[in-house]
């Protein structure tokens, strides 16, 4: 067993070699810190159970169609599906919305969820303060209540416990605060996060309970004890098949039941594990570097090891000093690495932002610290393995004959070379991954957005529904607000759309053209729908391809023809790229038509990752869209940020209580839409850079060690008249051989690695020749430079000093 005196002796020994101790500690700190930081992300997103009792019994229920697999439900379908299910103790529903809170200083727009009365009981959630919503809150004539989110309670209400029982104005209605939601409330559903600042009771209207094609409800269930996900899936499929038989308009729809924990992490599981693999490579490079340093140090301690063996010491007696030094270095590296991990965790949280809500609440806790300690022990063993094996395998007589330590031995050179080749190979793999993902990201950003991105400001305005009776919000707020914005100096045009491009999932419907039978909706194509003001297209800079744009005269006056503008994706899908102008489609039931009057360029409303979807644009006036939330786009003559304050002032001049939020240039909106691939790219690039620096440092250190060991030989060569070029070639040849070996092994590993990156490359081939050549050439040149510096130093060896030192 190792004694404390071994640690003491190791500390003294390392104190006599401060350069080695510092280098090894920094290498391990980088490797352990990066690994710990990424593990904290994986622990948060993939390993930590949901903050609810028995989370393994929670399931997500989705509506599936021939077009998608994770859709929401309509109110009547959810209601029928939730009755009398043996495999479930409850089936709850929630739908996202936004709400305007009237504060003393200004209106505050916040994300909200409306939930059924059994939503929190099904989850088993407990309030941080007061109580959560229940069935009594959704009963007929129930008083208006609300639950405030924990973060909103802390930030906007100062953590005041007296908030419970008080009344606040939400969308103009007085609601009693009955409780504060728990601080770590998190739940994923179909790639969306069920998190909110306000929780409101969900009460279905008579019209909602009749409309089976209006799907907007996220459905969550809890399995009965002893029930399985497969059993619940089979039961709900059978029940829904009965609903479809009674309502043939649902033909093609079905249900799917998945575990919440598994389904909620599906989107981030593979990328995060790939990043963990990348940081694992960095750690291995760091371990190889430290092992190289200890191995080189061990050569100079061969005489000490030989004496231990000659005096009857066993293998453990020989290995123990190396193991003690490795353990001490590993824990020193871990202590510094935890500090780096803390910085890394904050950076990862900032990079993830809203694109990876699974990482909300990311931090270093005891689970992460325990992982770091376990990893430290493993690393210390790995660092000491090769040096200790080499020391134990040394021939005592050969070492003692060397007088001052003997020669390094071929096995030492082979071991050192093998470690450097491994470092370089891992660096090649990481560089290939980062290079391919970078090229894929550049390809993604180069896609045509379908509009003019520069000089475009986006924002969202929320007004109180109580201040605008149904049907009047456009005339009394939106139109005057847009007119006021256009008067702001530096503004060219302003328009509105129901959903901000590149941000929101849209509303869609099954489109049916004139003359096409509508007996089977499942066979009708799905089309996205947007309502816009006539000024939206010029403000957005969206291109007109054919026909005309919407005009102010396309309004709701009696007799005004219903018209729509469609995008190129719809024309390509439904008309095979032919002429769509003049074609009519059913709108507002099966009795009235809307005529296609124009075709515009595609906007990637679901972000640049996805291809544009077929869309129709309808005049806001003709859409019968009553809204209290208005996404706006403002075309400016200069920097969009320079007019932001004036635009807000113009809006408040129309409605002082309106809440203005999400104010940002369109370039930033597009940047946020690619936040997830950018996050993974950034991590891969950082880790690849760290690995290359460590690998090149390892190569430089090994060649410096080779020069030091061959000082006498080089001195003799110089004394005998050997030119400097020959000496440089001798050392450089050794370095280039290691670089070549690392490239060959790394390229072979890269072929295997690229198969895992398909989902992050966005149209770039995993075997893209330019990327592979750039990585090989770049690392080759860098390796050559790392080899030339020790080689040139070798030419400065004084023959007399070298021979005298022998």
């Amino acid at each position: 067993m190792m004694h404390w005196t071994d640690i003491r002796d190791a500390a003294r020994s390392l104190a006599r070699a401060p350069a080695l101790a510092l280098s090894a500690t920094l290498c391990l700190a980088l490797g352990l810190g990066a690994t710990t930081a990424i593990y904290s992300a994986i622990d948060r997103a993939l390993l930590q159970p949901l903050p609810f009792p028995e989370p393994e019994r929670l399931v997500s229920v989705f509506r599936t169609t021939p077009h998608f697999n994770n859709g929401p439900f309509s109110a009547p379908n959810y209601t029928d599906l939730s009755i009398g299910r043996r495999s479930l103790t409850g089936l709850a529903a929630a739908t996202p919305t936004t709400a305007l809170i009237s504060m003393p200083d200004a209106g505050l727009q916040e994300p909200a969820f409306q939930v059924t009365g059994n939503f929190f009981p099904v989850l088993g959630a407990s309030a941080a303060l007061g109580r959560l919503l229940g069935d009594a809150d959704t009963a007929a004539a129930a008083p208006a209540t609300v639950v405030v989110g924990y973060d909103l309670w802390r930030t906007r209400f100062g953590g005041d416990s007296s908030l419970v029982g008080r009344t606040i104005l939400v969308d103009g209605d007085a609601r009693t605060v009955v409780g504060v939601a728990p601080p770590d409330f998190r739940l994923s559903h179909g790639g969306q996060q069920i998190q909110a600042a306000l929780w409101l009771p969900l009460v279905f209207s008579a019209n909602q309970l009749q409309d089976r094609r209006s799907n907007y409800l996220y459905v969550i269930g809890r399995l009965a004890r002893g029930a399985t996900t497969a059993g619940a899936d089979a039961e709900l499929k059978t029940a829904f098949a009965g609903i479809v038989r009674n309502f043939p308009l649902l033909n093609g729809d079905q249900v799917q039941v998945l575990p919440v924990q598994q389904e909620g992490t599906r989107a981030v599981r593979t990328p995060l594990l790939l990043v963990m693999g990348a940081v694992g490579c960095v750690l291995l490079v760091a371990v190889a570097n430290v092992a190289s340093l200890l191995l080189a140090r061990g050569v100079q301690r061969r005489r000490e090891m030989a004496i231990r063996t000659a005096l009857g010491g066993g293998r453990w007696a020989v290995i123990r000093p190396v193991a003690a030094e490795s353990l001490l270095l590993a824990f020193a590296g871990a202590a510094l690495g935890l500090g780096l991990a803390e910085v890394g965790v904050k950076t990862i949280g900032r990079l993830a932002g809203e694109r990876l809500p699974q990482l909300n609440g990311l931090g270093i806790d005891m689970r992460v610290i325990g992982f770091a300690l376990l990893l430290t022990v493993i690393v210390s063993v790995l660092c000491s393995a090769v040096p200790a094996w080499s020391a134990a395998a040394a021939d005592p007589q050969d070492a003692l004959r060397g007088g001052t330590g003997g020669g390094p031995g071929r096995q030492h050179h082979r071991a050192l070379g093998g470690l450097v080749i491994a470092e370089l190979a891992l660096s090649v793999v990481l560089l290939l991954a980062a290079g391919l993902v970078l090229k894929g990201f550049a390809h993604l950003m180069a896609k045509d957005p379908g509009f003019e991105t520069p000089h475009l400001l986006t924002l969202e305005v929320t007004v109180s529904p109580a201040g605008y009776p149904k049907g009047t919000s456009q005339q009394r707020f939106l139109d005057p607000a847009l007119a006021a914005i256009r008067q702001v100096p530096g503004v060219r045009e302003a328009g509105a759309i129901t959903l901000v491009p590149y941000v929101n999932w849209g509303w869609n419907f099954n489109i049916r053209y004139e003359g096409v039978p509508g007996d089977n909706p499942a066979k009708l194509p799905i089309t996205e729908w947007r309502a816009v003001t006539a000024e939206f297209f010029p403000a957005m800079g969206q291109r007109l391809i054919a026909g005309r744009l919407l005009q102010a005269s396309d309004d709701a006056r009696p007799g005004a023809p219903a018209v729509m503008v469609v995008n190129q994706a719809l024309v390509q899908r439904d008309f095979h790229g032919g002429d769509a102008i003049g074609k009519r489609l059913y709108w507002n039931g099966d009795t009235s038509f809307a005529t296609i009057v124009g075709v515009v360029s595609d906007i990637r409303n679901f972000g640049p990752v996805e291809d544009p979807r077929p869309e129709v644009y309808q005049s806001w006036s003709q859409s019968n869209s009553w809204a209290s939330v208005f996404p706006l786009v403002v075309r400016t003559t200069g920097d969009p940020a320079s007019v932001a304050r004036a635009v807000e002032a113009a809006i408040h001049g129309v409605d002082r209580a309106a809440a203005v939020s999400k104010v940002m240039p369109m370039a930033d909106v597009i940047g946020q839409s690619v936040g997830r691939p950018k996050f993974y790219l950034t991590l891969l690039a950082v880790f690849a850079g760290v690995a290359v620096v460590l690998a090149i440092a390892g190569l430089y250190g090994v060649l410096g060690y080779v020069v030091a060991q061959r000082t006498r030989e080089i001195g003799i060569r110089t004394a005998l008249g050997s030119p400097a070029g020959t000496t440089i070639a001798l050392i450089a040849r050794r370095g280039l051989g290691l670089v070549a070996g690392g490239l060959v092994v790394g390229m072979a590993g890269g072929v295997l690695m690229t198969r895992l990156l398909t989902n992050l490359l966005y149209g770039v081939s995993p075997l893209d020749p330019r990327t592979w050549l750039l990585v090989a050439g770049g690392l080759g040149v860098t390796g050559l430079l790392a080899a030339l510096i020790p080689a040139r130093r070798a030419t400065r060896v004084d023959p007399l000093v070298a021979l005298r030192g022998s």
Side-chain angles (χ1 to χ4, degrees), residues 280-294:
C281 290
V282 173
L283 181 60
L284 289 175
V285 170
V287 167
N289 228 337
V290 174
S292 298
L293 292 171
L294 293 178

Side-chain angles (χ1 to χ4, degrees), residues 502-516:
Y502 275 79
V503 174
N504 298 95
W505 293 88
W507 292 301
N508 52 55
F509 65 98
N510 293 101
I511 192 169
R512 183 160 77 93
Y513 295 100
E514 185 178 15
V516 175

Side-chain angles (χ1 to χ4, degrees), residues 99 101 110-117 119-121 125-134 137 143-153 157 163-166 168 170 175-183 185 195-202:
I101 307 174
E110 292 292 341
F113 260 90
Q114 293 178 290
V115 298
T116 53
F119 178 78
F120 290 111
S126 301
L129 198 66
R131 68 172 179 87
L132 299 177
L133 299 175
D137 296 291
T145 55
V146 63
V147 167
V148 175
Y150 187 84
D151 289 341
L152 180 67
W153 173 63
F157 295 99
L163 178 66
V164 175
R166 283 164 43 190
I168 62 175
V170 180
R175 290 183 174 272
T176 301
V177 178
V178 296
V180 176
F185 189 96
Q195 292 176 314
L198 294 176
W199 302 90
L200 307 168
L202 175 58

Side-chain angles (χ1 to χ4, degrees), residues 601-733:
S601 55
D602 294 328
I603 292 182
R604 298 177 181 273
N605 283 312
F606 292 81
V609 174
E610 295 193 32
D611 291 332
R613 301 188 184 184
E615 294 178 348
V616 299
Y617 297 89
Q618 188 176 23
S619 167
W620 200 300
S621 300
Q622 294 187 348
S623 68
N624 297 322
S625 176
W626 173 76
S628 58
V629 180
F630 301 96
L632 307 182
V633 292
V634 180
R635 174 68 56 183
T636 65
T637 57
D639 180 11
S642 65
V643 302
R645 289 182 178 271
V647 168
E648 290 187 48
I651 293 169
H652 287 137
V654 176
D655 187 337
R656 184 178 180 183
V660 180
S661 61
K662 303 177 183 178
V663 182
M664 65 180 72
M666 177 55 76
D668 292 346
V669 174
I670 295 176
Q672 287 188 356
S673 73
V674 293
R676 183 170 293 184
K678 184 178 180 181
F679 170 75
Y680 297 130
L681 167 63
T682 303
L683 292 182
L684 282 174
V686 169
F687 297 146
V690 171
V692 170
V693 170
L694 290 176
I696 296 302
L699 174 64
Y700 177 84
V702 166
L703 293 178
Y705 162 75
V706 169
V707 170
Q709 290 297 315
R710 302 181 69 172
T711 298
R712 185 171 184 273
E713 174 193 345
I714 293 170
I716 293 174
R717 286 175 178 270
T718 304
L720 294 176
S722 176
T726 303
T727 303
I728 291 176
L730 178 69
I731 303 301
R733 190 181 305 118

Side-chain angles (χ1 to χ4, degrees), residues 758-777:
T758 306
N759 292 334
L760 295 177
L761 299 187
Y762 307 109
V764 174
S765 169
L767 300 178
D768 179 68
R770 291 187 179 180
T771 304
W772 284 70
L773 288 174
L774 184 62
V775 168

Side-chain angles (χ1 to χ4, degrees), residues 444-701:
L444 188 68
M445 295 302 294
K447 291 181 177 179
D448 178 17
F451 60 92
E452 297 176 16
T453 305
H455 309 303
L456 189 59
L457 182 72
T458 69
L459 61 149
E460 195 166 277
V461 184
T462 304
V463 298
S464 172
Y468 300 93
K470 188 171 183 178
T472 65
S473 58
Q474 179 185 356
Q475 292 77 21
R476 294 180 55 191
F477 172 76
L478 180 58
D479 290 343
L482 291 175
I485 292 172
R486 292 187 196 102
Q487 299 303 312
V488 173
V491 171
R492 288 170 50 191
E493 188 55 272
I497 185 173
T498 45
L499 295 167
V500 176
Y502 275 79
V503 174
N504 298 95
W505 293 88
W507 292 301
N508 52 55
F509 65 98
N510 293 101
I511 192 169
R512 183 160 77 93
Y513 295 100
E514 185 178 15
V516 175
D519 55 328
N520 189 351
K523 293 183 178 180
L524 300 177
I526 288 285
T527 302
E528 302 298 319
W529 172 85
R530 304 280 190 273
V532 299
T533 61
E535 304 84 8
F536 169 78
F537 295 113
M540 196 71 181
Q542 195 170 0
R543 300 186 298 274
L544 177 66
I545 307 301
R548 68 170 178 86
L549 299 174
L550 296 177
Q551 301 170 353
S553 58
D554 298 320
D555 56 20
R557 289 176 295 116
V563 296
M564 287 187 176
V565 167
V566 302
N567 68 348
Q568 289 175 285
L570 182 139
V571 174
Q572 188 63 41
R573 183 194 66 183
D574 296 346
F575 301 100
H576 307 290
D579 185 15
I581 304 300
K583 300 296 190 298
R584 301 204 303 173
L585 54 94
Y586 285 97
W587 182 252
N588 194 24
D590 290 341
T591 58
S592 58
F593 291 99
T595 303
I596 297 175
V597 296
V599 179
V600 293
S601 55
D602 294 328
I603 292 182
R604 298 177 181 273
N605 283 312
F606 292 81
V609 174
E610 295 193 32
D611 291 332
R613 301 188 184 184
E615 294 178 348
V616 299
Y617 297 89
Q618 188 176 23
S619 167
W620 200 300
S621 300
Q622 294 187 348
S623 68
N624 297 322
S625 176
W626 173 76
S628 58
V629 180
F630 301 96
L632 307 182
V633 292
V634 180
R635 174 68 56 183
T636 65
T637 57
D639 180 11
S642 65
V643 302
R645 289 182 178 271
V647 168
E648 290 187 48
I651 293 169
H652 287 137
V654 176
D655 187 337
R656 184 178 180 183
V660 180
S661 61
K662 303 177 183 178
V663 182
M664 65 180 72
M666 177 55 76
D668 292 346
V669 174
I670 295 176
Q672 287 188 356
S673 73
V674 293
R676 183 170 293 184
K678 184 178 180 181
F679 170 75
Y680 297 130
L681 167 63
T682 303
L683 292 182
L684 282 174
V686 169
F687 297 146
V690 171
V692 170
V693 170
L694 290 176
I696 296 302
L699 174 64
Y700 177 84

Side-chain angles (χ1 to χ4, degrees), residues 211-243:
D211 190 351
R212 293 188 178 269
R213 298 298 297 178
S214 179
N215 298 291
Y216 57 94
L217 297 175
Y218 300 166
V219 176
I220 301 291
R222 178 174 285 274
L223 295 174
R225 294 191 181 278
T228 64
T229 302
D233 184 72
E235 182 182 15
L236 292 185
K237 275 183 167 62
T238 300
F240 199 77
I243 296 174

